[in-house]
Amino acid sequence: MARTIPAAQLRTTVSGIIAAAGSAPQEAQTVADNLVLANLSGHDSHGVGMVPRYVDAVLEGGLKPNAGVAVKLDAGSLLALDGQRGYGQVVGEQAMGLAMQRAQETGSCVMALANAHHLGRIGHFAEMAVARGLVSIHFVNVQSRPVVAPFGGGDGRYGTNPFCVGIPLAGRPPFLLDFATSRVAQGKMRVAHNEGRQVEPGLLIDEKGRPTTNPGVVVVPQPGGLFGALLAFGEHKGYGMAVACELLGGALTGSGTWHRPADDRRAVINGMFTVVVDPGKLGTQASFEQEALAFVDWLKQSPPAPGSDGVLLAGEPERQARREREASGIAIDDQTWAEIVAAGAKVGARVA
């Protein structure tokens, strides 16, 4: 079963819990707005269902309320930043603000962000860039219990390591590609487990390395205390991209990589390697706008495949979901809602 809650009400509920966990009002509102936006965009895996984990991480000391981004290096078009384990929704916006300003000044910026707590939906940061007419590319690693098996491997060795690209399209909504390098996001398995659903074949292996459709294998301990794992998308290709995210988002940023036995800590630490480019300063603005539109128009002219509604561009499903969910509300399954209520109780926030 599920309840449907208006977005505004959900923002109020979540900001109340985050504030009760120690965040200043503006930080609590920023986190709540970001999480609800993920739900509105159709990505419930990165939405308000993360609140229980955030509360646990604060109580454990792995997530630091009211921490801001620290500048470790400022060298023109190079920025090295440290999120100091602050809320990723906050330090990620701060980091992008610095990178975008620098790109608009110099034409480009390479930004390395280390030690951010869970950044959430990486597409949010690309949306910030394209709103200013900028291109952005993001490689992100995840330091938490390793939940993805390397291609050819039989257990989890790294995280869902997302990759994202935002490209503005003149006079139109942007191209916004944002995906986990696993076949599906870990949070989607949490949602399926909470809803009591099996998932489609080909996404998961169990704790013995065997194919399974039970999402619980990556959500709760299996017999012997072991977990299963997600598989990489695209076999060796997605696996290779995940490794690139780990090496760039984790090693190059100074945030660190995962190479230790799993633990049960609730914090999720992200490193993000970002490149931001101002097409206007590259000298190709006019041809970029013309050629980009010509190509996407060419794509859209492809006749629909059997059983398909036609060609979509990355970002279109999310924008459609926002329109629908803003109007109809956001569905939260009973298990997830019970976990949110319990999280509020841990910090003295009463959830109606």
Side-chain angles (χ1 to χ4, degrees):
M1 297 292 291
R3 65 192 65 212
T4 300
I5 303 174
Q9 180 182 335
L10 207 50
R11 291 186 192 99
T12 299
T13 297
V14 171
S15 63
I17 296 173
I18 300 299
S23 289
Q26 184 55 58
E27 175 170 277
Q29 192 63 57
T30 297
V31 174
D33 289 348
N34 184 287
L35 293 176
V36 173
L37 181 60
N39 286 107
L40 287 171
S41 302
H43 295 289
D44 297 317
S45 56
H46 291 67
V48 299
M50 291 300 300
V51 168
R53 184 153 192 173
Y54 290 179
V55 168
D56 287 348
V58 169
L59 296 177
E60 288 179 356
L63 167 55
K64 309 292 186 182
N66 307 311
V69 71
V71 178
K72 298 298 185 182
L73 172 74
D74 183 344
S77 59
L78 285 172
L79 289 174
L81 311 172
D82 194 301
Q84 304 188 104
R85 289 181 172 253
Y87 276 100
Q89 290 82 359
V90 174
V91 299
E93 287 192 359
Q94 292 172 348
M96 281 301 296
L98 293 170
M100 292 186 301
Q101 179 182 352
R102 192 56 49 85
Q104 289 177 313
E105 292 170 355
T106 68
S108 66
C109 181
V110 174
M111 181 266 284
L113 173 63
N115 300 316
H117 195 267
H118 187 239
L119 288 163
R121 190 179 67 89
I122 307 303
H124 175 66
F125 305 116
E127 286 174 338
M128 292 176 66
V130 296
R132 295 198 192 185
L134 304 172
V135 171
S136 70
I137 305 170
H138 310 261
F139 297 84
V140 182
N141 85 318
V142 183
Q143 290 196 71
S144 180
R145 178 173 57 82
V147 295
V148 185
F151 183 67
D155 67 354
R157 293 280 152 166
Y158 59 87
T160 52
N161 291 9
F163 172 77
C164 179
V165 178
I167 302 174
L169 298 174
R172 301 190 195 175
F175 172 87
L176 207 145
L177 180 67
D178 177 19
F179 60 84
T181 50
S182 53
R183 293 188 185 180
V184 67
Q186 162 72 0
K188 293 187 186 299
M189 297 298 94
R190 170 180 48 80
V191 171
H193 174 70
N194 284 351
E195 292 177 349
R197 291 190 284 111
Q198 295 289 294
V199 298
E200 62 188 88
L203 303 180
L204 296 162
I205 54 175
D206 67 14
E207 71 279 8
K208 295 182 179 179
R210 302 171 303 193
T212 181
T213 59
N214 172 23
V217 300
V218 292
V219 180
V220 295
Q222 300 304 296
L226 300 175
F227 285 86
L230 298 164
L231 297 176
F233 89 91
E235 300 181 320
H236 62 284
K237 297 179 182 180
Y239 160 58
M241 180 167 278
V243 173
C245 288
E246 194 75 26
L247 298 178
L248 295 174
L252 186 58
T253 63
S255 195
T257 61
W258 188 279
H259 44 80
R260 63 183 186 271
D263 56 48
D264 59 359
R265 295 173 188 164
R266 299 287 277 169
V268 180
I269 303 303
N270 289 146
M272 181 167 70
F273 180 77
T274 295
V275 178
V276 183
V277 176
D278 184 347
K281 291 189 178 296
L282 192 60
T284 62
Q285 182 79 46
S287 61
F288 166 57
E289 292 181 355
Q290 179 180 342
E291 288 298 316
L293 293 181
F295 179 67
V296 298
D297 285 344
W298 168 253
L299 290 176
K300 289 286 193 176
Q301 290 166 13
S302 179
S308 166
D309 292 330
V311 173
L312 294 176
L313 285 180
E316 289 182 350
E318 288 80 1
R319 291 188 285 269
Q320 177 64 26
R322 287 180 194 177
R323 290 189 291 269
E324 294 172 354
R325 292 187 174 195
E326 280 283 12
S328 63
I330 297 168
I332 308 292
D333 67 87
D334 288 345
Q335 177 62 32
T336 297
W337 185 252
E339 292 173 0
I340 292 171
V341 172
K346 289 180 182 180
V347 291
R350 185 177 179 275
V351 179

